[in-house]
Amino acid sequence: MGRERVDPGSETDLDRLRQRAERHAATATASLSRGEFATARDEFTAALRHYRRAKRLAERAEGTAAGEFDARIAALSQRHETLETACATEMGAYVEAGRKHVARADERRTEGAPLAAGEELKRAKHWFLDARAVVEDGHLADALATLVGQLDHERAVLALDAMRRRLRHGIENAATLVEAADHKFSRSNYREALRTYREAETTLDRVRMGIEDAEEPTAVTRAATCVACQSPGSKALAKTGFEDIVLCAGCLADHQSQLDLIRADLTPMERHVTAMRTRLTSNEHGVHVESAFDRSITVGATDWQVEEPKLLAALTGLADRLGRVPAEADVTARGTFALYQYHRTFGSFENALVAAGMKIDAGEK
């Protein structure tokens, strides 16, 4: 790009240069807070160029004070020189290594792997702490400290997401096992059905224990902010294995409602599995005795399955809240019913969307 020509004495051009300089300085500060030191250095360079041109224009404009730019140029020059030096030292190498892990964390988050993303942020944090240990400039040290705090917050958010996903996936795995056990039972393969029901029961027990641990938050003994809304937090989900997850009272209530939705899938499935396992073990050899079996139970129409109208209504409600056609990840994270319910009832999630009257773009399939 060529240099912009400025008409000496034009207040409009002076204001334009001032605004551009301030915009570049603000971008540099924001980049600094994200650990993007090379970008911040380049933005400070651009801000200095515009301030210096504005000063020269002001010096040629009668009645305009050029001195107002001296302090800004001096402050930015010092920060630019510090960044220039820092980027060329080991601190710059540490920051660059940390930025690579942040980029990998973004990729893992996009892939739907919050735990892996959290691990990448943890590695990034160590690099930024190393950078802070060798930096001498106070502004850069403060920027790195702020960045480390932001990474801790993001890790806690990812951990909360991972915990809920783990419980949801447990429910979906159990549903797959129950469906397989029901199929084996319907084919009179009672021993294999019993084995699969027991496996499903073990999976459901893990989910229930996970819910109970997540429902018993402990009081926070240090100053902390809520990972969901960043207001002062009061309870930590320490028993879940994620001590950094701190929630305020309002977000804790929302967290409880999420757990209640998971339990709504869990409880009826547990009743079904227990009933089937009890009947299959009524014979001491573990072989089903037809005369002892309660014919009132119809396998394949159990109370842990959700009726089709309710599934469609929940899907429509989720679309209304999102303002778009929901994806499978949206159902897993914010849906009223588990994803497996849609697969079981409609054959696939795409079929459920069609049944709900939603148009599916080619990119969404």
Side-chain angles (χ1 to χ4, degrees):
M1 292 179 59
R3 284 191 156 187
E4 177 187 0
R5 300 184 63 182
V6 180
D7 177 22
S10 170
E11 290 295 330
T12 300
D13 288 332
L14 183 64
D15 290 339
R16 185 183 300 116
L17 287 171
R18 182 189 291 110
Q19 291 170 3
R20 289 183 178 179
E22 291 172 352
R23 185 164 60 248
H24 282 292
T27 303
T29 302
S31 299
L32 199 61
S33 69
R34 296 191 297 269
E36 299 170 353
F37 286 7
T39 302
R41 176 197 58 198
D42 295 340
E43 290 294 332
F44 277 135
T45 300
L48 281 170
R49 184 172 66 250
H50 287 301
Y51 272 136
R52 285 166 179 158
R53 293 178 66 193
K55 179 182 177 181
R56 289 196 297 269
L57 178 61
E59 288 173 341
R60 292 195 296 268
E62 184 178 351
T64 303
E68 66 170 291
F69 298 104
D70 290 337
R72 299 179 189 179
I73 291 174
L76 287 184
S77 296
Q78 182 179 2
R79 299 190 72 178
H80 177 268
E81 182 179 352
T82 300
L83 270 175
E84 190 75 50
T85 303
C87 289
T89 63
E90 59 179 337
M91 192 218 76
Y94 292 155
V95 169
E96 185 61 26
R99 289 302 309 167
K100 289 180 180 178
H101 285 291
V102 170
R104 291 173 190 167
D106 292 338
E107 293 175 0
R108 300 295 177 269
R109 197 190 332 244
T110 302
E111 295 167 358
L115 278 181
E119 286 300 314
E120 291 293 345
L121 290 181
K122 184 177 180 180
R123 297 185 184 100
K125 174 184 175 180
H126 290 320
W127 283 112
F128 289 132
L129 287 174
D130 288 343
R132 188 185 179 195
V134 299
V135 71
E136 297 180 357
D137 180 74
H139 288 295
L140 293 185
D142 291 342
L144 286 168
T146 301
L147 180 59
V148 168
Q150 291 172 349
L151 292 181
D152 284 337
H153 173 76
E154 289 182 28
R155 286 178 58 213
V157 172
L158 288 168
L160 181 60
D161 181 35
M163 181 190 66
R164 291 172 179 170
R165 282 174 179 262
R166 184 180 61 185
L167 295 175
R168 278 286 181 190
H169 289 165
I171 289 288
E172 292 174 4
N173 291 339
T176 300
L177 290 169
V178 172
E179 186 174 359
D182 286 350
H183 179 69
K184 292 172 183 177
F185 181 87
S186 67
R187 298 175 65 87
S188 301
N189 190 353
Y190 301 126
R191 290 185 186 278
E192 282 300 308
L194 178 59
R195 183 188 64 80
T196 308
Y197 280 128
R198 283 172 172 164
E199 190 177 349
E201 189 172 43
T202 299
T203 302
L204 291 170
D205 285 343
R206 293 196 190 101
V207 174
R208 179 165 290 282
M209 286 188 290
I211 294 176
E212 290 173 354
D213 286 344
E215 285 182 318
E216 298 181 17
T218 58
V220 176
T221 58
R222 54 184 172 78
T225 57
C226 174
V227 302
C229 66
Q230 298 192 14
S231 62
S234 58
K235 297 290 184 180
L237 305 181
K239 289 190 68 177
T240 63
F242 300 112
E243 287 80 2
D244 291 335
I245 299 181
V246 177
L247 298 173
C248 65
C251 292
L252 187 61
D254 179 68
H255 171 67
Q256 182 61 55
S257 68
Q258 294 284 334
L259 296 179
D260 290 341
L261 291 175
I262 297 173
R263 184 184 286 103
D265 284 329
L266 171 73
T267 302
M269 202 184 307
E270 282 183 321
R271 287 199 299 264
H272 173 68
V273 170
T274 300
M276 297 302 293
R277 183 182 56 76
T278 300
R279 285 166 174 76
L280 284 170
T281 56
S282 60
N283 179 278
E284 61 179 353
H285 301 294
V287 179
H288 172 72
V289 180
E290 185 67 27
S291 60
F293 180 65
D294 184 356
R295 294 176 180 272
S296 65
I297 294 181
T298 303
V299 177
T302 57
D303 60 350
W304 56 272
Q305 299 173 39
V306 182
E307 296 175 356
E308 182 175 321
K310 291 183 179 180
L311 289 172
L312 295 177
L315 195 59
T316 302
L318 179 60
D320 291 340
R321 294 196 300 275
L322 295 173
R324 57 175 171 80
V325 176
E328 289 189 349
D330 297 318
V331 174
T332 299
R334 303 178 60 184
T336 303
F337 301 112
L339 182 62
Y340 77 85
Q341 297 278 14
Y342 293 95
H343 283 272
R344 181 181 178 89
T345 302
F346 299 98
S348 71
F349 184 66
E350 287 75 15
N351 291 343
L353 292 175
V354 172
M358 299 183 195
K359 294 183 179 179
I360 310 174
D361 296 332
E364 295 175 341
K365 289 186 177 179

